[in-house]
């Protein structure tokens, strides 16, 4: 096996993580190519209830913004921590992992009407980071090689980093709360 082979890397990703990553990447690509408008994907309670646009319950978790550095970070965290959870904590229990993601999606969707955030994929990813951190409390990490901390503090470090860069922390806090 060639270490640099992207097909081997892709097919080594556990099935649930691979499906979520692929759906997220393809959704973002479709928006970037103007095949789909983000306005048809975002969470809108009124459109879901009154116009029966039920796809918005799922699609708001699949769009992570335009191709950018922020998108790459989200995909990295999605692949890394979703994969680590599925490979380690939920090894051989794919149905349990799907239930975890469904629970997270439902809980985030119940919170969504009370906050003004149209896309909740980041919250679901943050939930997985939080859960991974809690399940791996003794793993030592560091930020840029300068700030050492243990895994349970990872979501809080990322939240602080996002705040310092001027980003909104609402979605991150929702992910932590649900996790």
């Amino acid at each position: 096996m060639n270490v640099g082979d992207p097909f081997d890397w892709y097919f080594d990703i556990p099935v649930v993580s691979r499906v979520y990553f692929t759906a997220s990447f393809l959704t973002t690509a479709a928006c970037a190519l103007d095949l789909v408008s983000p306005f048809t994907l975002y969470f809108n309670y009124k459109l879901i209830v009154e116009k029966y646009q039920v796809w918005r319950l799922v699609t708001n978790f699949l769009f992570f913004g335009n191709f950018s550095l922020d998108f790459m970070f989200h995909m990295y965290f999605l692949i890394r921590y979703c994969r680590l959870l599925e490979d380690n904590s939920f090894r051989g229990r794919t149905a349990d992992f799907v239930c975890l993601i469904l629970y997270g999606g439902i809980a985030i969707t119940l919170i969504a009407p009370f906050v003004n955030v149209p896309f909740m994929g980041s919250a679901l990813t943050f939930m997985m980071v939080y859960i991974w951190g809690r399940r791996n409390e003794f793993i030592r990490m560091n930020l840029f090689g300068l700030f050492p901390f243990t895994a349970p503090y990872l979501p809080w470090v990322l939240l602080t980093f996002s705040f310092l860069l001027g980003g909104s922390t609402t979605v991150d806090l929702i992910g932590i709360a649900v996790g």
Side-chain angles (χ1 to χ4, degrees), residues 1 16 27 47 60-61 66 88 111 128 133 146-147 156 159:
M1 176 173 92
V16 177
T27 301
L47 291 175
N60 79 90
F61 290 103
N66 296 326
N88 299 328
I111 295 169
M128 289 187 257
L146 301 173
F147 305 105
W156 301 104
L159 178 80

Side-chain angles (χ1 to χ4, degrees), residues 12-124:
D12 281 344
I13 299 171
V15 67
V16 177
S17 302
R18 185 171 59 232
V19 167
Y20 187 37
F21 168 70
T22 303
S24 298
F25 185 84
L26 291 177
T27 301
T28 301
C31 289
L33 296 171
D34 287 332
L35 299 173
V36 177
S37 170
F39 293 113
T40 62
L41 305 175
Y42 75 97
F43 182 86
N44 184 316
Y45 182 75
K46 189 174 181 177
L47 291 175
I48 293 167
V49 173
E50 294 177 8
K51 303 270 188 190
Y52 306 110
Q53 295 181 1
V54 293
W55 65 84
R56 293 176 186 273
L57 293 169
V58 175
T59 57
N60 79 90
F61 290 103
L62 301 178
F63 182 68
F64 286 85
N66 296 326
F67 286 118
S68 64
L69 187 59
D70 186 52
F71 171 77
M72 296 303 288
F73 275 117
H74 280 104
M75 289 298 102
Y76 171 76
F77 286 117
L78 185 150
I79 286 295
R80 174 125 174 102
Y81 295 103
C82 190
R83 179 183 189 161
L84 286 171
L85 274 176
E86 190 173 358
D87 265 348
N88 299 328
S89 298
F90 292 92
R91 178 177 292 283
R93 301 180 324 169
T94 303
D96 290 343
F97 188 62
V98 170
C99 286
L100 171 75
I101 292 175
L102 288 175
Y103 162 78
I106 290 168
I108 291 167
T109 300
L110 292 174
I111 295 169
F114 303 105
V115 295
N116 192 20
V117 180
F119 298 103
M120 297 293 188
S122 297
L124 192 61

Side-chain angles (χ1 to χ4, degrees), residues 111-146:
I111 295 169
F114 303 105
V115 295
N116 192 20
V117 180
F119 298 103
M120 297 293 188
S122 297
L124 192 61
T125 302
F126 232 83
M127 178 198 80
M128 289 187 257
V129 170
Y130 180 82
I131 292 170
W132 177 84
R134 299 304 298 168
R135 288 179 162 264
N136 296 280
E137 61 185 273
F138 298 112
I139 293 182
R140 300 196 43 77
M141 308 180 84
N142 64 62
L143 182 67
F144 306 124
L146 301 173

